[in-house]
Amino acid sequence: MTATALEPTVAAKPAEGRVRRVLRRHPKIVIGGTILLLIALVAIFAPYLATVDPQKVSPARRMRWPQELYWFGTDMMGRDVWSRTLYGTRVSLVVGIGAAALATVGGLALGLITGFIRWADAILMRIMDGLMSIPAVLLAIALMAITQASIQNVIIAIAIAELPRVTRLVRGVVLSLREQPFVEAATAAGTGLAMTMIRHILPNTVAPLLVQGTYVCASAMITEAILSFIGAGTPPIIPSWGNIMSEARSIFQVGWYIVVFPSVFLSITVLSVNLLGDGMRDALDPRLARRM
Amino acid sequence: MFAYIVRRLLATIPVMGVVALFVFALLHLTPGDPAVLIAGELATDADIAAIRAKLGLDQPFHIQLATWLWSLARGDLGISIFTNLPVTRLIEQRLEPTLMLTLTTLIVSIVIALPLGIISAWKAGTWIDTAVMSFAVFGFSVPVFVLGFVLILVFSLQLDWFPVQGYTSISEGFLPFLANITLPSVALGMIYAALIARITRASMLDVLAQDYIRTADAKGLATFDVLIRHGLKNAAVPIVTVIGIGIALLISGVVVTETVFAIPGLGRLTVDAIVKRDYPIVQGMVLLFSAVYVFINLLVDLSYTLLDPRIRY
Amino acid sequence: MNLFAKALLGTAAVMALGIGGATEATAQQKTLRFIPQADLKLLDPIWTTQYIVRNHGYLVYDTLFATNSKFEVKPQMVDTFEVSADKKLYTFKLRDGLKFHDGQPVTSADVVPSIQRWGKKDSLGILIFTKVVAMKAVDPKTFTIELSEPFPLLLEGLGKVSSNVPFIMPERLAKTDPNEQVKEIIGSGPFKFAANEWVPGSKAVYIKNTDYVPRKEPADWATGGKVVKVDRVEWLIIPDSATASAALEKGEVDWWEQPPSDFWDRLAKINGVKVIQSDPLGNIGVFRMNHLHPPFDNPKMREAMLYVVDQADYIQSMVGDLKNGKLCYSYFGCGVPMETDAGAEPMKGKRDLAKAKQLIKESGYDGRKILVMSPTDQPVIDRQTLMTHEYLKQLGLNIEYIATDWGTVGSRRAKKDPVDKGGWNIFHTWTLVLDQMTPPANLQVSGAGDKAWFGWPKNEKLEQLRNVDWVKATSVDEQKKIAAEISKEAYKTLPFIVTGQFYPKTAHRTNITGVPVSPVVFFWGVDKN
């Protein structure tokens, strides 16, 4: 969304006062970051938050309403929805961050290559165009079908689907910077290609990539849920928000509470990731930030 | 202009080639075998092998690929393994629902998103802006299937305003058509609306910061008038771009929406075919989807020349 | 792209015309809107054993004989038949008024290739044809079957209720290779298939065959008079059960064949909806181990499972409540003539984790990975697998749990390779008791080793009893005795473990009458008021 060319940012050391000022000026980062931190804590400390084994099935106590022992009720296999939702946090965060990291790193590498090497550009961008033209969900379903269901494969499938967009973004930045005087000067001064990239190009991709990364992260969490809905997601034995929702969605009228709790968690998480992304965009993109 | 269109169309050929090869390879590497599903639960190994042989599935990979490419070159998408019907016929049966769902969703989301985007740009930084944008992000963060069921529960079962499921062709009357398509369009439109509202806001802010708007403002033109006349016109370019990017997102959403509302559309056809390993359908559908994607993006690029006279090809 | 443009134009044109609205031409017709148990993607009930295609077959096709609810075989298309004194020659005569949907009369020339095609696919059919010396059309209404030795199961085969059912097709279609799908759906049954209205994955339409002449006797399962009371049956595929439930609640559909168990209680409380147990026999759950590879190639390892699996757990997870199922230790299902629990003692006693662990130790289990496959798109199977996973975990076994779709499980289970080369250790499924109730039809209990059903259990004595001795038995008592012998052998070898018997339910609007209580859904006798 912020595929605009950026002016080279000055790599100044962030003084403490400056950080504080930024935070005050960007409440979105603070709010989004805080919620996200809380959710990350839930993920890490899930075993200590009054949970039981989230995989433990016991058909005798199936479909219980939320009550004292089962805060979020139990599902159709008698599993505790509270424990499953809390453990599910781990999956969603891992999928979101994993997919974002993979897509960003992959996109960065491909973007740099396509931006600098002309013959590779032609080939790689055709492949990227092709990938981009396959709807992400279909691509992920197909990828999940050839491999076994696992969190790792969910991450890879989502990252591959997101890859073209990130690549385009980086390529755009590289192309616009390549013609800039300071890059040309560096090249003229005999700086090697690799050095030019590291010193001059890379720093300038950080800001747009960070912002794009948060969007990839948010949409990866949603895609995980949708993949589970279609039956091509995280293996159902592992509780993820998507799994819990999609298993219970077919009995929505009977056990709506099973769907609602993970759904609320998912919405809040996605919301806070997006807030963080918006905040970072505002902070990192001076052109927009000036007007806020 | 004409030369540009021709060039763009030619450029799609390698893209489609990549897609075709990729999908074919992907499918044939997939474990799972249509013959097994056809034979059924009580079949024996021998039955399955016989069916596989009849369907040509025991041929080596490159032979199957060559066969498929050859028929593709003649414009033949093949015959569905299960239903014995030509893939083109299956697509034709299901084209209208998907097309109409996409169109109505676009309309719904633009109708929701444009005012929201404009208002929050106009009131940027105020609580109205925050509220509107939070709503937009919220729309994006609820999975379509959850939203779909909530809509069914409220508007079909409780209020009895709309039917639960199905699709009525527009040829059977506009009102029945509308009754069936409304809930799915709203469910799907929410995600899209979030996206368009955000981008509208951003580009309106850009435009509002331009000098000529400030001038217009200074000249004493009413604020709203300025927004509409100058703002929207210039904001159209990024909005159209988002529609181009979003079309892929929309197609993905269509898959889920069609399942929830039991709409006999192309998305459902494709997912079904993947699950059943009906290779010709999947291959044909992915090609069709990517063709549509390429085509829409070409239209988007061409529309720039209409929306912004400065852009020329 | 071409297609896309064409459709765009088409839709625009339709839109221009359509605003006015079309009138309902079918207002006076009785249309039964039905949600079937699965999507109908294939149409040839001989080519496939899928239950959904069998049900479709019963609408479109007719059978020579049929079975009623007392498991008696009665003539359906056949008027009279004679058996020679040596029981080797059967002479059949077709009844009057039989006509295919294309207007052609049904003749012996159609019957002979139809039965022969079935005899190449169906397991019982194949068994029958090993004894058939000749099958001949004598005149348009008469045909004969000559056997090499007396074979009491012949009529049972011709009147088989479940897959594959020997349906009668026109000669030109019946001559299709049995491993290829017939090109046209023409039968002589009580409904015609509306091929032009078929949208796979969404809708299949059957129109009343007004030329059909039902028998005079009252209908009972597939026997007797198939009197059709509605003009049209529409099968609507609604992929999501939450949507299907809402549609039934709102009256957008009349009848939902198999609502998942989680919905039964809720649907029963809705005004205007009735939930009934549709299949008196029900289904049995099947826990299958691979006998070819370690660790389950060791009988002790298999036996260990008998001491932990608890049918009550499985039944509750599959159908919610014990009242919807039945503890059943019979390999042939319960409530059928061959019911027996001979040899089932270890499974009936108290669940004994320690004993199971002891057996595992004795088997020399080396901690290797046990590969369990589960199709997540099949809830009944998936839930059984989750249950088994729980037991294996309690036993401290090393589990690799593969969650995938039915397509993948279906092909992987056919692989005889060891686990690391794409094989497997455990999968689950379920079958109709109807398909399990007699030993020769019960493929899953077979002990034919390499030639047995997936899992390839080997027990020659079991196989001899099942496929030879039982078939030759001349009285029901003798059959029961042999069935008990089979059960004892089966509990030694464990071709599979019965995880319980459970009864599916069907839900329909209260204005629908005549919904059949039978293992197969039949549409004759069903009316809509």
Side-chain angles (χ1 to χ4, degrees):
Chain A
M1 241 157 279
T2 49
T4 44
L6 290 169
E7 297 138 40
T9 45
V10 191
K13 263 189 208 137
E16 221 187 275
R18 198 184 155 210
V19 169
R20 206 176 294 154
R21 207 171 59 237
V22 166
L23 290 185
R24 204 171 39 239
R25 215 193 283 162
H26 301 289
K28 284 178 184 171
I29 295 185
V30 180
I31 299 173
T34 312
I35 300 176
L36 217 54
L37 190 68
L38 280 175
I39 289 171
L41 288 176
V42 165
I44 293 166
F45 294 106
Y48 307 102
L49 297 169
T51 54
V52 297
D53 177 1
Q55 292 184 1
K56 167 88 184 167
V57 299
S58 58
R61 37 160 234 216
R62 60 194 294 284
M63 298 301 289
R64 298 276 170 86
W65 273 76
Q67 51 181 274
E68 207 188 323
L69 265 178
Y70 315 110
W71 295 349
F72 287 1
T74 62
D75 69 3
M76 45 283 163
M77 288 297 288
R79 293 170 296 197
D80 180 38
V81 179
W82 164 259
S83 309
R84 290 176 72 72
T85 308
L86 258 50
Y87 276 92
T89 311
R90 296 181 166 186
V91 175
S92 286
L93 284 188
V94 166
V95 168
I97 295 169
L102 200 61
T104 313
V105 172
L108 179 64
L110 288 175
L112 288 177
I113 293 172
T114 53
F116 274 101
I117 306 169
R118 280 189 194 272
W119 63 266
D121 184 41
I123 299 171
L124 283 174
M125 286 322 284
R126 287 296 80 74
I127 295 176
M128 289 296 127
D129 284 345
L131 268 185
M132 201 152 161
S133 72
I134 304 175
V137 167
L138 290 185
L139 185 62
I141 296 172
L143 286 173
M144 292 307 290
I146 61 167
T147 54
Q148 277 162 14
S150 73
I151 296 181
Q152 190 191 328
N153 288 336
V154 170
I155 293 175
I156 294 174
I158 296 175
I160 288 182
E162 298 281 355
L163 198 58
R165 265 167 278 277
V166 184
T167 306
R168 289 203 148 187
L169 181 72
V170 177
R171 180 171 172 267
V173 174
V174 175
L175 287 183
S176 71
L177 286 179
R178 215 173 48 182
E179 315 301 331
Q180 297 279 328
F182 71 99
V183 176
E184 277 178 4
T187 318
T191 318
L193 185 63
M195 211 53 196
T196 316
M197 276 194 198
I198 292 169
R199 224 187 262 157
H200 299 285
I201 309 282
L202 222 46
N204 285 293
T205 58
V206 169
L209 276 182
L210 263 181
V211 175
Q212 186 68 25
T214 59
Y215 295 136
V216 172
C217 176
S219 83
M221 290 182 197
I222 306 252
T223 309
E224 192 271 331
I226 289 177
L227 283 179
S228 299
F229 172 84
I230 293 167
T234 314
I237 198 87
I238 301 169
S240 81
W241 294 337
N243 273 339
I244 306 169
M245 277 191 273
S246 68
E247 274 174 22
R249 65 121 210 299
S250 62
I251 51 159
F252 197 77
Q253 291 97 327
V254 191
W256 55 265
Y257 55 88
I258 309 173
V259 181
V260 164
F261 291 116
S263 177
V264 168
F265 268 71
L266 177 65
S267 293
I268 291 177
T269 311
V270 170
L271 200 69
S272 59
V273 172
N274 270 317
L275 268 180
L276 192 67
D278 285 357
M280 288 198 309
R281 184 199 56 205
D282 296 348
L284 294 170
D285 187 341
R287 227 160 39 97
L288 273 173
R290 230 181 289 131
R291 287 193 309 272
M292 297 276 174
Chain B
M1 182 78 165
F2 180 72
Y4 171 75
I5 296 178
V6 170
R7 208 166 60 237
R8 280 285 300 261
L9 285 177
L10 284 178
T12 60
I13 293 174
V15 174
M16 302 292 288
V18 167
V19 172
L21 271 177
F22 180 73
V23 167
F24 190 88
L26 202 60
L27 279 177
H28 287 262
L29 291 172
T30 306
D33 178 344
V36 169
L37 296 170
I38 287 167
E41 185 61 10
L42 302 172
T44 56
D45 288 1
D47 288 334
I48 296 167
I51 290 174
R52 193 179 290 132
K54 278 285 167 198
L55 293 173
L57 295 169
D58 54 350
Q59 304 272 353
F61 177 80
H62 60 274
I63 305 258
Q64 290 190 52
L65 177 64
T67 315
W68 180 60
L69 286 178
W70 173 234
S71 52
L72 199 64
R74 289 172 303 161
D76 178 6
L77 288 179
I79 308 260
S80 151
I81 293 176
F82 283 75
T83 62
N84 232 345
L85 297 174
V87 174
T88 41
R89 174 163 169 212
L90 291 170
I91 292 177
E92 265 179 294
Q93 279 181 339
R94 288 160 167 270
L95 199 54
E96 189 200 316
T98 300
L99 212 56
M100 297 318 282
L101 177 61
T102 318
L103 280 179
T104 50
T105 302
L106 267 179
I107 294 170
V108 166
S109 50
I110 290 175
V111 165
I112 299 176
L114 277 189
L116 290 184
I118 294 173
I119 290 172
S120 63
W122 184 26
K123 299 280 180 196
T126 67
W127 66 270
I128 298 180
D129 179 25
T130 314
V132 166
M133 280 299 111
S134 307
F135 173 74
V137 178
F138 185 73
F140 179 74
S141 66
V142 180
V144 189
F145 58 88
V146 174
L147 190 60
F149 287 127
V150 172
L151 290 178
I152 290 178
L153 227 52
V154 175
F155 293 100
S156 293
L157 291 182
Q158 295 298 321
L159 297 173
D160 201 12
W161 289 356
F162 299 102
V164 171
Q165 48 81 40
Y167 176 79
T168 311
S169 167
I170 201 159
S171 61
E172 287 171 40
F174 188 64
L175 280 180
F177 160 77
L178 214 56
N180 264 136
I181 206 85
T182 306
L183 290 186
S185 319
V186 172
L188 186 51
M190 287 305 278
I191 322 176
Y192 212 48
L195 197 67
I196 297 180
R198 288 166 65 104
I199 210 79
T200 309
R201 176 180 177 274
S203 45
M204 286 297 287
L205 280 178
D206 264 346
V207 171
L208 287 176
Q210 309 273 330
D211 290 341
Y212 65 94
I213 296 271
R214 293 198 188 134
T215 319
D217 223 4
K219 275 197 297 194
L221 284 172
T223 325
F224 191 71
D225 220 36
V226 171
L227 268 175
I228 298 300
R229 253 212 223 125
H230 295 277
L232 205 51
K233 196 167 152 235
N234 286 286
V237 172
I239 292 173
V240 168
T241 311
V242 173
I243 292 176
I245 296 170
I247 199 76
L249 184 72
L250 195 57
I251 292 173
S252 298
V254 160
V255 172
V256 178
T257 316
E258 286 178 354
T259 305
V260 170
F261 291 96
I263 297 171
L266 294 172
R268 191 68 221 150
L269 177 70
T270 316
V271 174
D272 253 17
I274 292 177
V275 172
K276 290 268 169 22
R277 311 284 187 268
D278 202 332
Y279 303 136
I281 299 184
V282 186
Q283 289 156 0
M285 280 312 305
V286 173
L287 274 184
L288 180 73
F289 276 138
S290 65
V292 169
Y293 176 85
V294 169
F295 183 65
I296 298 268
N297 275 292
L298 179 59
L299 283 185
V300 164
D301 287 351
L302 291 179
S303 70
Y304 290 154
T305 52
L306 299 177
L307 295 168
D308 186 345
R310 280 168 300 178
I311 299 177
R312 284 265 171 273
Y313 295 112
Chain C
M1 208 108 88
N2 220 342
L3 201 62
F4 179 75
K6 207 167 94 193
L8 201 68
L9 287 175
T11 327
V14 163
M15 225 158 146
L17 291 172
I19 312 281
T23 49
E24 274 204 19
T26 53
Q28 295 303 310
Q29 286 199 333
K30 272 189 194 175
T31 302
L32 183 73
R33 290 158 307 172
F34 172 79
I35 307 175
Q37 53 172 287
D39 180 16
L40 182 73
K41 282 234 186 315
L42 312 171
L43 299 176
D44 182 346
I46 305 297
W47 195 42
T48 174
T49 61
Q50 285 179 9
Y51 291 149
I52 186 71
V53 186
R54 172 201 67 193
N55 297 356
H56 147 90
Y58 270 111
L59 283 153
V60 180
Y61 302 103
D62 212 347
T63 55
L64 295 174
F65 287 86
T67 306
N68 67 16
S69 55
K70 295 174 206 78
F71 306 117
E72 298 160 341
V73 177
K74 300 276 179 189
Q76 179 54 264
M77 292 168 85
V78 165
D79 187 22
T80 55
F81 70 99
E82 282 164 24
V83 189
S84 65
D86 62 359
K87 296 193 170 160
K88 282 184 181 171
L89 183 69
Y90 286 70
T91 309
F92 304 90
K93 217 165 152 40
L94 294 172
R95 67 186 174 97
D96 291 329
L98 301 174
K99 228 170 137 206
F100 284 115
H101 300 157
D102 59 2
Q104 299 299 311
V106 180
T107 67
S108 315
D110 302 306
V111 171
V112 173
S114 294
I115 298 301
Q116 281 168 341
R117 183 165 185 258
W118 166 78
K120 289 191 186 108
K121 289 291 278 190
D122 182 67
S123 56
L124 187 52
I126 292 168
L127 192 61
I128 288 173
F129 270 84
T130 58
K131 321 279 180 202
V132 171
V133 178
M135 180 168 185
K136 278 191 219 126
V138 178
D139 64 51
K141 293 224 145 177
T142 318
F143 64 95
T144 57
I145 296 179
E146 198 189 334
L147 300 172
S148 57
E149 57 182 282
F151 194 69
L153 289 178
L154 172 65
L155 293 185
E156 258 172 65
L158 296 178
K160 201 170 174 237
V161 199
S162 193
S163 300
N164 302 91
V165 181
F167 291 120
I168 303 304
M169 302 179 179
E171 184 185 6
R172 65 193 162 94
L173 297 173
K175 290 206 158 139
T176 311
D177 183 317
N179 290 312
E180 247 174 76
Q181 187 161 210
V182 288
K183 294 274 184 287
E184 221 182 325
I185 303 309
I186 300 231
S188 61
F191 289 89
K192 293 178 180 177
F193 178 66
N196 56 334
E197 288 191 66
W198 181 40
V199 181
S202 173
K203 197 162 132 184
V205 178
Y206 303 88
I207 294 162
K208 179 179 178 174
N209 175 11
T210 45
D211 292 336
Y212 185 77
V213 185
R215 294 185 73 95
K216 297 283 174 284
E217 306 92 332
D220 180 5
W221 286 14
T223 66
K226 301 176 176 176
V227 181
V228 174
K229 295 180 175 166
V230 293
D231 303 296
R232 220 176 130 83
V233 173
E234 286 183 2
W235 284 17
L236 303 171
I237 317 299
I238 300 187
D240 216 280
S241 15
T243 316
S245 165
L248 182 70
E249 183 173 350
K250 216 165 159 251
E252 284 175 27
V253 294
D254 303 310
W255 182 5
W256 184 7
E257 186 184 1
Q258 277 184 8
S261 57
D262 307 289
F263 279 99
W264 296 347
D265 289 342
R266 183 176 179 277
L267 286 173
K269 282 185 209 134
I270 294 172
N271 239 340
V273 176
K274 206 171 150 193
V275 180
I276 59 165
Q277 184 185 317
S278 47
D279 178 0
L281 295 177
N283 312 320
I284 58 175
V286 173
F287 168 8
R288 198 106 184 147
M289 293 167 276
N290 189 340
H291 290 234
L292 294 184
H293 301 291
F296 294 111
D297 59 339
N298 188 314
K300 287 212 162 131
M301 192 70 189
R302 298 196 296 267
E303 194 191 344
M305 296 301 132
L306 280 186
Y307 290 94
V308 284
V309 297
D310 186 346
Q311 290 196 346
D313 282 343
Y314 285 102
I315 291 170
Q316 284 178 75
S317 48
M318 288 189 285
V319 286
D321 199 304
L322 275 179
K323 70 173 194 255
N324 299 323
K326 187 178 184 180
L327 303 179
C328 173
Y329 303 95
S330 164
Y331 275 99
F332 308 107
C334 295
V336 293
M338 294 305 128
E339 175 180 344
T340 168
D341 59 1
E345 291 72 23
M347 207 177 154
K348 293 168 89 173
K350 212 179 140 288
R351 306 295 72 207
D352 191 344
L353 206 61
K355 168 92 180 166
K357 280 186 173 159
Q358 176 63 28
L359 281 165
I360 290 171
K361 212 167 152 194
E362 285 169 23
S363 82
Y365 172 65
D366 53 1
R368 71 171 63 225
K369 265 213 175 106
I370 295 174
L371 191 133
V372 183
M373 317 185 272
S374 177
T376 53
D377 51 345
Q378 303 286 322
V380 170
I381 303 178
D382 187 42
R383 291 181 185 187
Q384 289 184 70
T385 320
L386 283 171
M387 207 57 245
T388 300
H389 176 249
E390 180 71 29
Y391 295 135
L392 298 180
K393 231 167 57 176
Q394 284 171 12
L395 289 171
L397 302 176
N398 182 5
I399 316 154
E400 185 178 355
Y401 193 91
I402 304 275
T404 174
D405 59 6
W406 183 234
T408 309
V409 173
S411 34
R412 187 160 189 177
R413 71 179 182 185
K415 288 209 168 111
K416 287 180 177 157
D417 306 306
V419 173
D420 53 1
K421 296 217 172 61
W424 56 276
N425 291 121
I426 289 176
F427 77 89
H428 296 73
T429 183
W430 59 271
T431 31
L432 292 185
V433 169
L434 192 65
D435 285 325
Q436 300 277 45
M437 55 186 266
T438 57
N442 192 332
L443 281 181
Q444 288 167 329
V445 83
S446 158
D450 264 2
K451 292 204 172 57
W453 207 64
F454 315 110
W456 309 283
K458 192 165 173 63
N459 181 330
E460 275 151 20
K461 190 175 169 203
L462 168 65
E463 200 51 14
Q464 167 78 17
L465 287 164
R466 181 185 85 90
N467 229 356
V468 184
D469 298 356
W470 190 90
V471 174
K472 283 191 183 145
T474 46
S475 73
V476 176
D477 282 339
E478 196 186 337
Q479 285 178 342
K480 283 184 177 169
K481 240 174 74 195
I482 299 171
E485 288 295 313
I486 297 175
S487 180
K488 271 185 205 154
E489 285 306 315
Y491 269 103
K492 278 184 218 156
T493 307
L494 292 177
F496 67 98
I497 295 174
V498 181
T499 61
Q501 186 158 349
F502 58 98
Y503 302 100
K505 292 192 178 185
T506 197
H508 60 86
R509 302 288 306 178
T510 41
N511 62 341
I512 304 297
T513 57
V515 170
V517 176
S518 84
V520 177
V521 59
F522 300 122
F523 290 86
W524 43 89
V526 178
D527 202 356
K528 182 176 175 180
N529 302 310

